[in-house]
Amino acid sequence: HQVDEGRKVKIYKELAMKDMLTGLYNRNSYDEWVKEKQQADGTLIVTFDLNNLKHCNDTMGHAMGDSYIKNAAEIISRVFGSHGRCYRIGGDEFCVVIQNRGGFDLEERLKELELEQQEFNQSHTIPKIQIAYGFAGFDAEKDMDFEAARSRADVKMYEKKRALKGGR
């Protein structure tokens, strides 16, 4: 019975830390990380937001919306997962925290993200994936805490979101 209990504890822990839809770490896990870790200067945060999810849910149904979220999460995870921790922190909001930036080329990863989206959109008719992103490095001089860095990343991400939607 102890083996079963041990397995149950592991499963419950996973349920508490992982997002069931995408398999990425969830908001609890992100908040926990922010509380526990010493944010080192230069720790990079990349934030993501999915364009047109509401439209997708409203016109094609929530199952299609879930599919959009899952597919976008897979792309984010494929591109950034080996470099940092990927989180789904809200409905269509994601972020990646990259602590050790040795050999990490953000520009290359963002190009890869764009390419993965294009390839996905060419081979799937609907829903088209459009991921807006922004990024910021934690800077102890500027940022009171890691959330301040995430806010700076979000500002860039929303600029990108507007640009993707055609300046609206």
mmCIF file of all heavy atoms in Angstrom, residues 90-138:
data_model
loop_
_atom_site.group_PDB
_atom_site.id
_atom_site.type_symbol
_atom_site.label_atom_id
_atom_site.label_comp_id
_atom_site.label_asym_id
_atom_site.label_seq_id
_atom_site.Cartn_x
_atom_site.Cartn_y
_atom_site.Cartn_z
ATOM 1 N N GLY A 90 -2.092 31.870 -17.443
ATOM 2 C CA GLY A 90 -3.473 32.343 -17.566
ATOM 3 C C GLY A 90 -4.114 31.609 -18.722
ATOM 4 O O GLY A 90 -3.493 30.725 -19.313
ATOM 5 N N GLY A 91 -5.322 31.981 -19.065
ATOM 6 C CA GLY A 91 -6.051 31.309 -20.146
ATOM 7 C C GLY A 91 -5.229 31.146 -21.409
ATOM 8 O O GLY A 91 -4.975 30.045 -21.874
ATOM 9 N N ASP A 92 -4.791 32.282 -21.970
ATOM 10 C CA ASP A 92 -3.981 32.215 -23.194
ATOM 11 C C ASP A 92 -2.633 32.900 -22.983
ATOM 12 O O ASP A 92 -2.020 33.367 -23.918
ATOM 13 C CB ASP A 92 -4.740 32.827 -24.373
ATOM 14 C CG ASP A 92 -5.031 34.304 -24.200
ATOM 15 O OD1 ASP A 92 -4.875 34.820 -23.066
ATOM 16 O OD2 ASP A 92 -5.411 34.958 -25.183
ATOM 17 N N GLU A 93 -2.217 32.958 -21.720
ATOM 18 C CA GLU A 93 -0.942 33.599 -21.390
ATOM 19 C C GLU A 93 0.069 32.556 -20.935
ATOM 20 O O GLU A 93 -0.241 31.691 -20.115
ATOM 21 C CB GLU A 93 -1.128 34.608 -20.258
ATOM 22 C CG GLU A 93 -1.898 35.839 -20.641
ATOM 23 C CD GLU A 93 -2.095 36.730 -19.432
ATOM 24 O OE1 GLU A 93 -1.082 37.233 -18.903
ATOM 25 O OE2 GLU A 93 -3.249 36.879 -19.014
ATOM 26 N N PHE A 94 1.257 32.697 -21.473
ATOM 27 C CA PHE A 94 2.343 31.784 -21.146
ATOM 28 C C PHE A 94 3.587 32.598 -20.833
ATOM 29 O O PHE A 94 3.693 33.750 -21.238
ATOM 30 C CB PHE A 94 2.669 30.893 -22.358
ATOM 31 C CG PHE A 94 1.516 30.047 -22.810
ATOM 32 C CD1 PHE A 94 0.553 30.562 -23.676
ATOM 33 C CD2 PHE A 94 1.391 28.748 -22.383
ATOM 34 C CE1 PHE A 94 -0.518 29.790 -24.100
ATOM 35 C CE2 PHE A 94 0.324 27.961 -22.794
ATOM 36 C CZ PHE A 94 -0.623 28.479 -23.653
ATOM 37 N N CYS A 95 4.533 31.971 -20.141
ATOM 38 C CA CYS A 95 5.838 32.613 -20.010
ATOM 39 C C CYS A 95 6.904 31.538 -19.870
ATOM 40 O O CYS A 95 6.611 30.390 -19.516
ATOM 41 C CB CYS A 95 5.887 33.616 -18.861
ATOM 42 S SG CYS A 95 5.958 32.917 -17.230
ATOM 43 N N VAL A 96 8.106 31.921 -20.206
ATOM 44 C CA VAL A 96 9.260 31.051 -20.049
ATOM 45 C C VAL A 96 10.280 31.822 -19.227
ATOM 46 O O VAL A 96 10.528 33.004 -19.484
ATOM 47 C CB VAL A 96 9.883 30.672 -21.420
ATOM 48 C CG1 VAL A 96 11.126 29.819 -21.231
ATOM 49 C CG2 VAL A 96 8.878 29.945 -22.287
ATOM 50 N N VAL A 97 10.848 31.150 -18.234
ATOM 51 C CA VAL A 97 11.888 31.753 -17.412
ATOM 52 C C VAL A 97 13.201 31.047 -17.745
ATOM 53 O O VAL A 97 13.287 29.821 -17.654
ATOM 54 C CB VAL A 97 11.574 31.597 -15.908
ATOM 55 C CG1 VAL A 97 12.713 32.148 -15.062
ATOM 56 C CG2 VAL A 97 10.261 32.303 -15.564
ATOM 57 N N ILE A 98 14.183 31.836 -18.161
ATOM 58 C CA ILE A 98 15.483 31.280 -18.547
ATOM 59 C C ILE A 98 16.534 31.858 -17.607
ATOM 60 O O ILE A 98 16.826 33.047 -17.649
ATOM 61 C CB ILE A 98 15.802 31.600 -20.016
ATOM 62 C CG1 ILE A 98 14.724 30.964 -20.907
ATOM 63 C CG2 ILE A 98 17.198 31.084 -20.393
ATOM 64 C CD1 ILE A 98 14.504 31.629 -22.209
ATOM 65 N N GLN A 99 17.054 30.995 -16.741
ATOM 66 C CA GLN A 99 18.012 31.458 -15.737
ATOM 67 C C GLN A 99 19.444 31.419 -16.242
ATOM 68 O O GLN A 99 20.195 32.343 -16.043
ATOM 69 C CB GLN A 99 17.887 30.618 -14.472
ATOM 70 C CG GLN A 99 16.637 30.966 -13.695
ATOM 71 C CD GLN A 99 16.584 30.221 -12.391
ATOM 72 O OE1 GLN A 99 16.243 29.050 -12.355
ATOM 73 N NE2 GLN A 99 16.938 30.911 -11.328
ATOM 74 N N ASN A 100 19.797 30.321 -16.860
ATOM 75 C CA ASN A 100 21.175 30.190 -17.326
ATOM 76 C C ASN A 100 21.208 30.504 -18.815
ATOM 77 O O ASN A 100 20.780 29.699 -19.632
ATOM 78 C CB ASN A 100 21.682 28.767 -17.061
ATOM 79 C CG ASN A 100 23.111 28.582 -17.516
ATOM 80 O OD1 ASN A 100 23.725 29.499 -18.068
ATOM 81 N ND2 ASN A 100 23.632 27.398 -17.295
ATOM 82 N N ARG A 101 21.710 31.684 -19.161
ATOM 83 C CA ARG A 101 21.625 32.124 -20.560
ATOM 84 C C ARG A 101 22.869 31.791 -21.365
ATOM 85 O O ARG A 101 22.997 32.211 -22.504
ATOM 86 C CB ARG A 101 21.334 33.614 -20.607
ATOM 87 C CG ARG A 101 19.909 33.892 -20.170
ATOM 88 C CD ARG A 101 19.628 35.336 -19.947
ATOM 89 N NE ARG A 101 19.695 36.123 -21.158
ATOM 90 C CZ ARG A 101 19.503 37.425 -21.182
ATOM 91 N NH1 ARG A 101 19.237 38.071 -20.073
ATOM 92 N NH2 ARG A 101 19.585 38.093 -22.307
ATOM 93 N N GLY A 102 23.774 31.031 -20.793
ATOM 94 C CA GLY A 102 24.980 30.653 -21.525
ATOM 95 C C GLY A 102 24.617 29.925 -22.809
ATOM 96 O O GLY A 102 23.928 28.918 -22.774
ATOM 97 N N GLY A 103 25.029 30.458 -23.927
ATOM 98 C CA GLY A 103 24.759 29.810 -25.215
ATOM 99 C C GLY A 103 23.322 29.958 -25.689
ATOM 100 O O GLY A 103 22.936 29.392 -26.702
ATOM 101 N N PHE A 104 22.520 30.730 -24.961
ATOM 102 C CA PHE A 104 21.123 30.918 -25.370
ATOM 103 C C PHE A 104 21.028 32.149 -26.254
ATOM 104 O O PHE A 104 21.441 33.234 -25.875
ATOM 105 C CB PHE A 104 20.220 31.090 -24.137
ATOM 106 C CG PHE A 104 18.789 31.372 -24.504
ATOM 107 C CD1 PHE A 104 17.971 30.351 -24.957
ATOM 108 C CD2 PHE A 104 18.263 32.652 -24.415
ATOM 109 C CE1 PHE A 104 16.645 30.595 -25.303
ATOM 110 C CE2 PHE A 104 16.941 32.917 -24.762
ATOM 111 C CZ PHE A 104 16.134 31.881 -25.210
ATOM 112 N N ASP A 105 20.481 31.956 -27.448
ATOM 113 C CA ASP A 105 20.330 33.059 -28.398
ATOM 114 C C ASP A 105 18.847 33.357 -28.571
ATOM 115 O O ASP A 105 18.133 32.635 -29.274
ATOM 116 C CB ASP A 105 20.978 32.662 -29.733
ATOM 117 C CG ASP A 105 20.976 33.799 -30.747
ATOM 118 O OD1 ASP A 105 20.141 34.725 -30.624
ATOM 119 O OD2 ASP A 105 21.794 33.749 -31.673
ATOM 120 N N LEU A 106 18.373 34.412 -27.912
ATOM 121 C CA LEU A 106 16.941 34.752 -27.931
ATOM 122 C C LEU A 106 16.444 35.011 -29.346
ATOM 123 O O LEU A 106 15.392 34.532 -29.742
ATOM 124 C CB LEU A 106 16.658 35.966 -27.035
ATOM 125 C CG LEU A 106 15.198 36.427 -26.991
ATOM 126 C CD1 LEU A 106 14.281 35.348 -26.436
ATOM 127 C CD2 LEU A 106 15.059 37.705 -26.184
ATOM 128 N N GLU A 107 17.221 35.769 -30.112
ATOM 129 C CA GLU A 107 16.791 36.090 -31.475
ATOM 130 C C GLU A 107 16.563 34.823 -32.299
ATOM 131 O O GLU A 107 15.582 34.714 -33.034
ATOM 132 C CB GLU A 107 17.843 36.974 -32.151
ATOM 133 C CG GLU A 107 17.237 38.239 -32.705
ATOM 134 C CD GLU A 107 18.313 39.223 -33.144
ATOM 135 O OE1 GLU A 107 18.838 39.043 -34.255
ATOM 136 O OE2 GLU A 107 18.605 40.145 -32.356
ATOM 137 N N GLU A 108 17.482 33.869 -32.154
ATOM 138 C CA GLU A 108 17.346 32.588 -32.870
ATOM 139 C C GLU A 108 16.071 31.861 -32.456
ATOM 140 O O GLU A 108 15.357 31.319 -33.281
ATOM 141 C CB GLU A 108 18.556 31.680 -32.587
ATOM 142 C CG GLU A 108 19.745 31.947 -33.479
ATOM 143 C CD GLU A 108 19.405 31.856 -34.971
ATOM 144 O OE1 GLU A 108 18.891 30.801 -35.411
ATOM 145 O OE2 GLU A 108 19.640 32.837 -35.687
ATOM 146 N N ARG A 109 15.819 31.834 -31.144
ATOM 147 C CA ARG A 109 14.624 31.140 -30.633
ATOM 148 C C ARG A 109 13.350 31.818 -31.143
ATOM 149 O O ARG A 109 12.387 31.150 -31.490
ATOM 150 C CB ARG A 109 14.616 31.128 -29.098
ATOM 151 C CG ARG A 109 15.714 30.314 -28.435
ATOM 152 C CD ARG A 109 15.634 28.802 -28.576
ATOM 153 N NE ARG A 109 15.926 28.273 -29.900
ATOM 154 C CZ ARG A 109 17.152 28.140 -30.432
ATOM 155 N NH1 ARG A 109 18.214 28.490 -29.769
ATOM 156 N NH2 ARG A 109 17.312 27.626 -31.636
ATOM 157 N N LEU A 110 13.339 33.146 -31.176
ATOM 158 C CA LEU A 110 12.138 33.852 -31.641
ATOM 159 C C LEU A 110 11.913 33.606 -33.128
ATOM 160 O O LEU A 110 10.769 33.456 -33.569
ATOM 161 C CB LEU A 110 12.236 35.353 -31.319
ATOM 162 C CG LEU A 110 12.207 35.691 -29.825
ATOM 163 C CD1 LEU A 110 12.442 37.174 -29.606
ATOM 164 C CD2 LEU A 110 10.911 35.239 -29.156
ATOM 165 N N LYS A 111 13.007 33.528 -33.906
ATOM 166 C CA LYS A 111 12.875 33.184 -35.338
ATOM 167 C C LYS A 111 12.297 31.780 -35.473
ATOM 168 O O LYS A 111 11.436 31.521 -36.315
ATOM 169 C CB LYS A 111 14.249 33.227 -36.029
ATOM 170 C CG LYS A 111 14.671 34.602 -36.464
ATOM 171 C CD LYS A 111 15.992 34.522 -37.221
ATOM 172 C CE LYS A 111 16.676 35.875 -37.216
ATOM 173 N NZ LYS A 111 18.107 35.762 -37.429
ATOM 174 N N GLU A 112 12.798 30.876 -34.617
ATOM 175 C CA GLU A 112 12.319 29.492 -34.640
ATOM 176 C C GLU A 112 10.831 29.443 -34.279
ATOM 177 O O GLU A 112 10.062 28.697 -34.883
ATOM 178 C CB GLU A 112 13.143 28.658 -33.642
ATOM 179 C CG GLU A 112 12.939 27.174 -33.776
ATOM 180 C CD GLU A 112 13.738 26.386 -32.737
ATOM 181 O OE1 GLU A 112 14.836 26.825 -32.332
ATOM 182 O OE2 GLU A 112 13.231 25.322 -32.328
ATOM 183 N N LEU A 113 10.418 30.260 -33.306
ATOM 184 C CA LEU A 113 9.012 30.328 -32.908
ATOM 185 C C LEU A 113 8.152 30.751 -34.103
ATOM 186 O O LEU A 113 7.120 30.134 -34.386
ATOM 187 C CB LEU A 113 8.832 31.318 -31.749
ATOM 188 C CG LEU A 113 7.422 31.469 -31.207
ATOM 189 C CD1 LEU A 113 7.056 30.289 -30.303
ATOM 190 C CD2 LEU A 113 7.275 32.771 -30.430
ATOM 191 N N GLU A 114 8.586 31.790 -34.805
ATOM 192 C CA GLU A 114 7.851 32.283 -35.983
ATOM 193 C C GLU A 114 7.754 31.180 -37.046
ATOM 194 O O GLU A 114 6.700 30.962 -37.638
ATOM 195 C CB GLU A 114 8.566 33.499 -36.601
ATOM 196 C CG GLU A 114 8.716 34.685 -35.672
ATOM 197 C CD GLU A 114 7.507 35.604 -35.637
ATOM 198 O OE1 GLU A 114 6.588 35.421 -36.469
ATOM 199 O OE2 GLU A 114 7.475 36.488 -34.768
ATOM 200 N N LEU A 115 8.870 30.503 -37.272
ATOM 201 C CA LEU A 115 8.932 29.430 -38.271
ATOM 202 C C LEU A 115 7.989 28.282 -37.906
ATOM 203 O O LEU A 115 7.237 27.789 -38.759
ATOM 204 C CB LEU A 115 10.373 28.922 -38.380
ATOM 205 C CG LEU A 115 10.723 28.190 -39.651
ATOM 206 C CD1 LEU A 115 10.649 29.135 -40.847
ATOM 207 C CD2 LEU A 115 12.129 27.594 -39.540
ATOM 208 N N GLU A 116 8.027 27.868 -36.641
ATOM 209 C CA GLU A 116 7.152 26.776 -36.171
ATOM 210 C C GLU A 116 5.681 27.150 -36.371
ATOM 211 O O GLU A 116 4.881 26.315 -36.770
ATOM 212 C CB GLU A 116 7.409 26.499 -34.687
ATOM 213 C CG GLU A 116 8.741 25.853 -34.416
ATOM 214 C CD GLU A 116 8.637 24.355 -34.160
ATOM 215 O OE1 GLU A 116 7.510 23.810 -34.082
ATOM 216 O OE2 GLU A 116 9.700 23.732 -34.045
ATOM 217 N N GLN A 117 5.334 28.424 -36.088
ATOM 218 C CA GLN A 117 3.956 28.882 -36.284
ATOM 219 C C GLN A 117 3.574 28.793 -37.758
ATOM 220 O O GLN A 117 2.500 28.310 -38.095
ATOM 221 C CB GLN A 117 3.810 30.351 -35.866
ATOM 222 C CG GLN A 117 3.654 30.577 -34.405
ATOM 223 C CD GLN A 117 3.505 32.064 -34.139
ATOM 224 O OE1 GLN A 117 2.399 32.518 -33.898
ATOM 225 N NE2 GLN A 117 4.575 32.815 -34.185
ATOM 226 N N GLN A 118 4.474 29.293 -38.629
ATOM 227 C CA GLN A 118 4.193 29.269 -40.069
ATOM 228 C C GLN A 118 3.984 27.840 -40.552
ATOM 229 O O GLN A 118 3.032 27.559 -41.290
ATOM 230 C CB GLN A 118 5.341 29.906 -40.854
ATOM 231 C CG GLN A 118 5.363 31.408 -40.798
ATOM 232 C CD GLN A 118 6.667 31.976 -41.372
ATOM 233 O OE1 GLN A 118 7.452 31.270 -41.991
ATOM 234 N NE2 GLN A 118 6.889 33.266 -41.145
ATOM 235 N N GLU A 119 4.879 26.937 -40.132
ATOM 236 C CA GLU A 119 4.763 25.537 -40.557
ATOM 237 C C GLU A 119 3.451 24.934 -40.072
ATOM 238 O O GLU A 119 2.777 24.226 -40.800
ATOM 239 C CB GLU A 119 5.954 24.720 -40.046
ATOM 240 C CG GLU A 119 7.223 25.005 -40.817
ATOM 241 C CD GLU A 119 8.447 24.332 -40.213
ATOM 242 O OE1 GLU A 119 8.310 23.485 -39.294
ATOM 243 O OE2 GLU A 119 9.570 24.655 -40.668
ATOM 244 N N PHE A 120 3.100 25.225 -38.816
ATOM 245 C CA PHE A 120 1.846 24.713 -38.271
ATOM 246 C C PHE A 120 0.669 25.251 -39.079
ATOM 247 O O PHE A 120 -0.212 24.500 -39.481
ATOM 248 C CB PHE A 120 1.686 25.104 -36.798
ATOM 249 C CG PHE A 120 0.397 24.604 -36.208
ATOM 250 C CD1 PHE A 120 0.328 23.350 -35.622
ATOM 251 C CD2 PHE A 120 -0.767 25.369 -36.275
ATOM 252 C CE1 PHE A 120 -0.871 22.865 -35.111
ATOM 253 C CE2 PHE A 120 -1.970 24.894 -35.768
ATOM 254 C CZ PHE A 120 -2.018 23.637 -35.180
ATOM 255 N N ASN A 121 0.669 26.553 -39.324
ATOM 256 C CA ASN A 121 -0.456 27.192 -40.026
ATOM 257 C C ASN A 121 -0.576 26.728 -41.472
ATOM 258 O O ASN A 121 -1.669 26.709 -42.030
ATOM 259 C CB ASN A 121 -0.353 28.716 -39.932
ATOM 260 C CG ASN A 121 -0.654 29.214 -38.524
ATOM 261 O OD1 ASN A 121 -1.338 28.551 -37.755
ATOM 262 N ND2 ASN A 121 -0.124 30.374 -38.189
ATOM 263 N N GLN A 122 0.547 26.339 -42.087
ATOM 264 C CA GLN A 122 0.482 25.825 -43.463
ATOM 265 C C GLN A 122 -0.128 24.431 -43.508
ATOM 266 O O GLN A 122 -0.784 24.069 -44.466
ATOM 267 C CB GLN A 122 1.877 25.808 -44.092
ATOM 268 C CG GLN A 122 2.317 27.185 -44.552
ATOM 269 C CD GLN A 122 3.812 27.269 -44.825
ATOM 270 O OE1 GLN A 122 4.550 26.297 -44.704
ATOM 271 N NE2 GLN A 122 4.267 28.463 -45.188
ATOM 272 N N SER A 123 0.105 23.647 -42.442
ATOM 273 C CA SER A 123 -0.391 22.272 -42.484
ATOM 274 C C SER A 123 -1.720 22.076 -41.756
ATOM 275 O O SER A 123 -2.281 20.995 -41.766
ATOM 276 C CB SER A 123 0.670 21.309 -41.912
ATOM 277 O OG SER A 123 0.947 21.648 -40.569
ATOM 278 N N HIS A 124 -2.228 23.118 -41.100
ATOM 279 C CA HIS A 124 -3.531 23.042 -40.424
ATOM 280 C C HIS A 124 -4.371 24.228 -40.895
ATOM 281 O O HIS A 124 -3.895 25.354 -40.876
ATOM 282 C CB HIS A 124 -3.375 23.134 -38.903
ATOM 283 C CG HIS A 124 -2.583 22.005 -38.329
ATOM 284 N ND1 HIS A 124 -1.217 21.933 -38.426
ATOM 285 C CD2 HIS A 124 -2.979 20.910 -37.643
ATOM 286 C CE1 HIS A 124 -0.801 20.832 -37.833
ATOM 287 N NE2 HIS A 124 -1.841 20.192 -37.344
ATOM 288 N N THR A 125 -5.600 23.943 -41.290
ATOM 289 C CA THR A 125 -6.406 25.042 -41.804
ATOM 290 C C THR A 125 -6.910 25.958 -40.685
ATOM 291 O O THR A 125 -6.826 27.159 -40.797
ATOM 292 C CB THR A 125 -7.595 24.523 -42.636
ATOM 293 O OG1 THR A 125 -8.265 23.517 -41.878
ATOM 294 C CG2 THR A 125 -7.133 23.975 -43.959
ATOM 295 N N ILE A 126 -7.434 25.360 -39.597
ATOM 296 C CA ILE A 126 -7.926 26.183 -38.485
ATOM 297 C C ILE A 126 -7.589 25.527 -37.159
ATOM 298 O O ILE A 126 -7.428 24.305 -37.112
ATOM 299 C CB ILE A 126 -9.461 26.422 -38.556
ATOM 300 C CG1 ILE A 126 -10.180 25.081 -38.721
ATOM 301 C CG2 ILE A 126 -9.828 27.449 -39.581
ATOM 302 C CD1 ILE A 126 -11.666 25.139 -38.585
ATOM 303 N N PRO A 127 -7.549 26.217 -36.081
ATOM 304 C CA PRO A 127 -7.400 27.671 -36.057
ATOM 305 C C PRO A 127 -5.946 28.065 -36.305
ATOM 306 O O PRO A 127 -5.022 27.338 -35.924
ATOM 307 C CB PRO A 127 -7.808 28.028 -34.616
ATOM 308 C CG PRO A 127 -7.482 26.806 -33.821
ATOM 309 C CD PRO A 127 -7.608 25.635 -34.745
ATOM 310 N N LYS A 128 -5.760 29.178 -36.966
ATOM 311 C CA LYS A 128 -4.408 29.682 -37.236
ATOM 312 C C LYS A 128 -3.803 30.160 -35.924
ATOM 313 O O LYS A 128 -4.458 30.844 -35.146
ATOM 314 C CB LYS A 128 -4.453 30.859 -38.222
ATOM 315 C CG LYS A 128 -4.958 30.474 -39.594
ATOM 316 C CD LYS A 128 -3.841 29.902 -40.435
ATOM 317 C CE LYS A 128 -4.276 29.650 -41.863
ATOM 318 N NZ LYS A 128 -4.023 28.312 -42.330
ATOM 319 N N ILE A 129 -2.574 29.770 -35.687
ATOM 320 C CA ILE A 129 -1.895 30.171 -34.451
ATOM 321 C C ILE A 129 -1.157 31.485 -34.685
ATOM 322 O O ILE A 129 -0.485 31.658 -35.694
ATOM 323 C CB ILE A 129 -0.908 29.070 -33.998
ATOM 324 C CG1 ILE A 129 -1.700 27.867 -33.487
ATOM 325 C CG2 ILE A 129 0.039 29.583 -32.920
ATOM 326 C CD1 ILE A 129 -0.857 26.725 -33.005
ATOM 327 N N GLN A 130 -1.335 32.395 -33.742
ATOM 328 C CA GLN A 130 -0.604 33.659 -33.787
ATOM 329 C C GLN A 130 -0.191 33.980 -32.348
ATOM 330 O O GLN A 130 -1.037 34.295 -31.513
ATOM 331 C CB GLN A 130 -1.487 34.757 -34.371
ATOM 332 C CG GLN A 130 -0.688 35.983 -34.788
ATOM 333 C CD GLN A 130 -1.584 37.054 -35.391
ATOM 334 O OE1 GLN A 130 -2.424 37.616 -34.705
ATOM 335 N NE2 GLN A 130 -1.400 37.325 -36.671
ATOM 336 N N ILE A 131 1.109 33.844 -32.086
ATOM 337 C CA ILE A 131 1.634 34.036 -30.745
ATOM 338 C C ILE A 131 2.378 35.368 -30.666
ATOM 339 O O ILE A 131 3.369 35.568 -31.363
ATOM 340 C CB ILE A 131 2.602 32.890 -30.352
ATOM 341 C CG1 ILE A 131 1.921 31.523 -30.493
ATOM 342 C CG2 ILE A 131 3.114 33.094 -28.920
ATOM 343 C CD1 ILE A 131 2.860 30.331 -30.349
ATOM 344 N N ALA A 132 1.875 36.255 -29.800
ATOM 345 C CA ALA A 132 2.575 37.524 -29.546
ATOM 346 C C ALA A 132 3.546 37.264 -28.397
ATOM 347 O O ALA A 132 3.257 36.473 -27.502
ATOM 348 C CB ALA A 132 1.570 38.603 -29.162
ATOM 349 N N TYR A 133 4.699 37.922 -28.424
ATOM 350 C CA TYR A 133 5.676 37.704 -27.357
ATOM 351 C C TYR A 133 6.370 39.003 -26.984
ATOM 352 O O TYR A 133 6.407 39.970 -27.757
ATOM 353 C CB TYR A 133 6.726 36.663 -27.777
ATOM 354 C CG TYR A 133 7.412 37.008 -29.074
ATOM 355 C CD1 TYR A 133 8.476 37.913 -29.101
ATOM 356 C CD2 TYR A 133 6.984 36.448 -30.275
ATOM 357 C CE1 TYR A 133 9.087 38.256 -30.305
ATOM 358 C CE2 TYR A 133 7.590 36.782 -31.475
ATOM 359 C CZ TYR A 133 8.649 37.680 -31.477
ATOM 360 O OH TYR A 133 9.248 38.026 -32.662
ATOM 361 N N GLY A 134 6.888 39.021 -25.791
ATOM 362 C CA GLY A 134 7.691 40.137 -25.295
ATOM 363 C C GLY A 134 8.719 39.548 -24.346
ATOM 364 O O GLY A 134 8.571 38.415 -23.897
ATOM 365 N N PHE A 135 9.751 40.295 -24.023
ATOM 366 C CA PHE A 135 10.784 39.746 -23.140
ATOM 367 C C PHE A 135 11.484 40.850 -22.375
ATOM 368 O O PHE A 135 11.482 42.007 -22.787
ATOM 369 C CB PHE A 135 11.808 38.936 -23.955
ATOM 370 C CG PHE A 135 12.365 39.698 -25.116
ATOM 371 C CD1 PHE A 135 13.477 40.520 -24.968
ATOM 372 C CD2 PHE A 135 11.754 39.627 -26.368
ATOM 373 C CE1 PHE A 135 13.970 41.252 -26.041
ATOM 374 C CE2 PHE A 135 12.239 40.357 -27.448
ATOM 375 C CZ PHE A 135 13.351 41.172 -27.279
ATOM 376 N N ALA A 136 12.049 40.457 -21.260
ATOM 377 C CA ALA A 136 12.839 41.391 -20.449
ATOM 378 C C ALA A 136 13.784 40.569 -19.583
ATOM 379 O O ALA A 136 13.447 39.451 -19.182
ATOM 380 C CB ALA A 136 11.927 42.240 -19.567
ATOM 381 N N GLY A 137 14.928 41.144 -19.315
ATOM 382 C CA GLY A 137 15.865 40.513 -18.383
ATOM 383 C C GLY A 137 15.676 41.154 -17.024
ATOM 384 O O GLY A 137 15.479 42.369 -16.931
ATOM 385 N N PHE A 138 15.695 40.344 -15.974
ATOM 386 C CA PHE A 138 15.576 40.892 -14.625
ATOM 387 C C PHE A 138 16.792 41.767 -14.357
ATOM 388 O O PHE A 138 17.924 41.389 -14.619
ATOM 389 C CB PHE A 138 15.509 39.763 -13.589
ATOM 390 C CG PHE A 138 15.476 40.274 -12.175
ATOM 391 C CD1 PHE A 138 14.333 40.888 -11.683
ATOM 392 C CD2 PHE A 138 16.582 40.167 -11.346
ATOM 393 C CE1 PHE A 138 14.292 41.377 -10.380
ATOM 394 C CE2 PHE A 138 16.556 40.651 -10.044
ATOM 395 C CZ PHE A 138 15.409 41.254 -9.557
#
